Amino acid sequence: MERRGLLYIVSAPSGTGKTTLCKQIVHIVPNLWHSVSCTTRQPRPGEEHGREYFFIDDRTFQEMIERQEFVEWARVYGHWYGTPRKAIADKLDQGVDVLLEIDTQGAAQIKKKFQDGIYIYILPPSLKALRTRLQMRAGDSAEEIARRLKKAREEVWSYREYYYIVRNDDLKQSLKELESIFIAERIKTKRLDIGWLEANFILDKEDKEGESP
Amino acid sequence: MERRGLLYIVSAPSGTGKTTLCKQIVHIVPNLWHSVSCTTRQPRPGEEHGREYFFIDDRTFQEMIERQEFVEWARVYGHWYGTPRKAIADKLDQGVDVLLEIDTQGAAQIKKKFQDGIYIYILPPSLKALRTRLQMRAGDSAEEIARRLKKAREEVWSYREYYYIVRNDDLKQSLKELESIFIAERIKTKRLDIGWLEANFILDKEDKEGESP
């Protein structure tokens, strides 16, 4: 039996450090591919087309919706975000695990279709800590920070929809927890390769005779 | 809300390396206590009373059964094995996680009472590898090795009763997988401390005012 890839979905209130964690975890966990989403928002300083996002214009985004090229899409803070379908399906078919870094709206859409996905929520240590982080991040206006914080306050409670909670207090500890989720999910009994089991634990006649006392 | 400890149950066919793994994992995972069972079998070379087992005589064992001091007990290879109840209950009440290293019969008894336990099965890489390991282990007669191997061949299929499977091919890798199970289980959403959440994510009036744009 060919192994099919697992789908890991990671969400977090804005400013929680989700992007940093997701960028690093793919270097720690083997056989894991980080899906790149499309967005109509402007790149932030340091972001690169095709790495953090595919930065596309509104018209291209609408055309992709019409051609059903997104597995989910949503409007967040006045911009469109969408997850391209084909690349993900290809990776899963190849037996590669896929990491989706998406917002709570997107995750809710995915969850309707993929109950078997592994849903992970990142929380900041506290709302106070989150405010400090948003204020320190470059490129956002005071108004945008206030808007994000208000939204984060509501989004925290989406945690119920996820299977695991990572409290992102210390980066190293959070990476260790994320890695543990990825490893533990892969060795769940329901994912065991029965072909491997049969090949190694069903003896042929010769083996059996060698074992008799 | 006080955190209650989690109960981890580890089983494996005889000779799979379960004891080595369990001995080491308690040094890696914090806040984890390895329960010590009672047995009427003789100590193997290097084993110590109160560390690997409490080595007790048949009469003491029967008295403990009568006083209902075991959470489970079973006769394996002609000897009695039992898991003392009180020490485990105390640790769980104190919020300490407990590791039970028991055979498949014992695990099945525990599972009837503790559905919420985390059941982990260790498998050898193959039956051939298992035979080699049993032959290399000191202190067992050829007859006992044959008996253990025959039993192991049947016990492999008990894997279905467990939630995770660790293939013990490489000790370091197996320890990493075990550790991941312990960590991932602790951060499942259903174990989240709601008190912590409320304390850090529900703002008082002053905080809210500070956030308005």
Side-chain angles (χ1 to χ4, degrees):
Chain A
M1 189 182 71
E2 292 286 315
R3 178 187 190 271
R4 200 176 145 71
L6 303 177
L7 184 65
Y8 296 88
I9 296 94
V10 176
S11 303
S14 168
T16 303
K18 165 174 58 99
T19 303
T20 305
L21 284 169
C22 288
K23 261 189 194 172
Q24 299 205 16
I25 197 67
V26 289
H27 297 296
I28 295 170
V29 176
N31 196 41
L32 177 64
W33 179 74
H34 187 175
S35 164
V36 180
S37 296
C38 298
T39 182
T40 60
R41 79 154 163 79
Q42 292 301 306
R44 296 204 191 105
E47 287 183 336
E48 211 172 89
H49 182 74
R51 194 180 62 187
E52 280 77 11
Y53 287 97
F54 294 107
F55 296 98
I56 61 180
D57 60 26
D58 264 62
R59 186 176 162 171
T60 309
F61 198 97
Q62 294 306 322
E63 286 169 359
M64 288 181 73
I65 292 179
E66 280 161 33
R67 289 198 300 266
Q68 305 195 318
E69 292 180 18
F70 293 126
V71 63
E72 64 79 27
W73 68 94
R75 195 168 173 87
V76 185
Y77 305 128
H79 303 293
W80 290 99
Y81 293 79
T83 306
R85 181 192 307 275
K86 187 167 184 322
I88 295 172
D90 288 349
K91 291 288 175 182
L92 294 177
D93 286 345
Q94 291 159 23
V96 176
D97 291 354
V98 170
L99 169 61
L100 281 191
E101 182 193 338
I102 47 178
D103 78 303
T104 52
Q105 289 180 60
Q109 286 183 55
I110 303 262
K111 210 178 164 194
K112 284 180 201 157
K113 298 170 204 162
F114 300 95
Q115 285 291 326
D116 208 35
I118 296 129
Y119 294 82
I120 304 165
Y121 205 56
I122 321 273
L123 280 178
S126 67
L127 275 183
K128 284 187 180 176
L130 184 64
R131 182 196 294 153
T132 308
R133 286 190 201 178
L134 285 171
Q135 284 165 347
M136 285 172 66
R137 187 159 76 176
D140 290 334
S141 66
E143 203 177 19
E144 186 152 342
I145 290 172
R147 198 166 57 229
R148 284 178 187 270
L149 197 54
K150 184 171 179 293
K151 182 153 179 159
R153 211 188 316 143
E154 298 157 7
E155 280 191 331
V156 162
W157 303 96
S158 301
Y159 81 86
R160 298 181 186 89
E161 300 299 321
Y162 295 77
Y163 305 160
Y164 296 96
I165 308 285
V166 174
R167 299 186 201 176
N168 189 20
D169 199 352
D170 171 77
L171 178 65
K172 207 178 143 201
Q173 172 67 17
S174 299
L175 282 172
K176 174 121 189 161
E177 291 183 359
L178 262 186
E179 186 191 14
S180 297
I181 296 168
F182 283 85
I183 294 175
E185 281 287 335
R186 288 175 176 183
I187 58 175
K188 278 191 171 174
T189 303
K190 62 178 174 183
R191 314 208 199 278
L192 188 69
D193 179 351
I194 307 298
W196 170 83
L197 203 69
E198 289 173 349
N200 288 287
F201 293 95
I202 295 179
L203 294 181
D204 54 34
K205 194 160 171 294
E206 185 193 353
D207 281 325
K208 276 196 183 172
E209 280 166 1
E211 262 165 32
S212 302
Chain B
M1 190 181 68
E2 292 285 315
R3 179 188 188 272
R4 200 175 147 74
L6 303 178
L7 184 66
Y8 296 86
I9 295 94
V10 176
S11 304
S14 167
T16 303
K18 169 174 56 102
T19 302
T20 305
L21 284 169
C22 287
K23 259 187 194 175
Q24 298 204 15
I25 197 66
V26 290
H27 296 296
I28 296 170
V29 176
N31 197 40
L32 176 64
W33 179 75
H34 187 175
S35 164
V36 180
S37 295
C38 298
T39 183
T40 60
R41 80 153 164 78
Q42 292 300 306
R44 297 204 191 104
E47 286 184 338
E48 210 172 89
H49 182 73
R51 195 180 63 188
E52 282 77 11
Y53 287 97
F54 295 106
F55 296 97
I56 60 179
D57 60 28
D58 264 61
R59 184 174 164 171
T60 310
F61 198 97
Q62 294 307 322
E63 285 170 358
M64 288 181 74
I65 292 180
E66 279 162 32
R67 288 197 301 264
Q68 305 194 320
E69 290 179 19
F70 292 125
V71 63
E72 62 80 29
W73 69 94
R75 197 168 172 88
V76 185
Y77 306 129
H79 303 293
W80 289 99
Y81 292 81
T83 306
R85 182 193 306 277
K86 188 168 184 319
I88 295 173
D90 288 349
K91 291 290 175 182
L92 295 176
D93 286 345
Q94 290 160 21
V96 176
D97 291 355
V98 171
L99 169 59
L100 282 192
E101 183 193 338
I102 46 177
D103 78 303
T104 52
Q105 289 180 61
Q109 286 183 54
I110 303 263
K111 210 177 165 197
K112 284 181 200 154
K113 299 170 205 162
F114 299 94
Q115 285 291 327
D116 208 34
I118 296 129
Y119 294 83
I120 305 167
Y121 205 56
I122 320 275
L123 280 178
S126 67
L127 275 183
K128 285 187 178 176
L130 184 63
R131 183 196 294 151
T132 309
R133 285 188 201 180
L134 284 172
Q135 285 165 346
M136 286 173 66
R137 187 159 77 175
D140 290 334
S141 67
E143 203 177 20
E144 185 152 343
I145 290 172
R147 197 165 59 228
R148 283 177 187 271
L149 197 54
K150 184 170 178 296
K151 183 155 177 153
R153 212 189 314 142
E154 299 157 5
E155 280 191 332
V156 162
W157 304 96
S158 301
Y159 81 87
R160 299 182 186 88
E161 299 299 322
Y162 295 77
Y163 306 159
Y164 296 95
I165 308 284
V166 174
R167 298 186 203 176
N168 189 19
D169 200 350
D170 172 76
L171 178 67
K172 207 178 143 200
Q173 173 65 18
S174 298
L175 281 172
K176 176 120 188 161
E177 291 183 0
L178 262 187
E179 185 191 16
S180 296
I181 296 168
F182 283 86
I183 295 174
E185 281 288 336
R186 288 175 176 183
I187 58 175
K188 278 191 170 172
T189 304
K190 62 179 173 183
R191 315 208 198 276
L192 189 69
D193 179 351
I194 306 299
W196 170 83
L197 203 69
E198 288 175 348
N200 288 288
F201 294 95
I202 295 178
L203 295 180
D204 55 33
K205 195 163 172 290
E206 186 193 353
D207 282 322
K208 277 195 184 172
E209 280 167 1
E211 262 163 35
S212 304

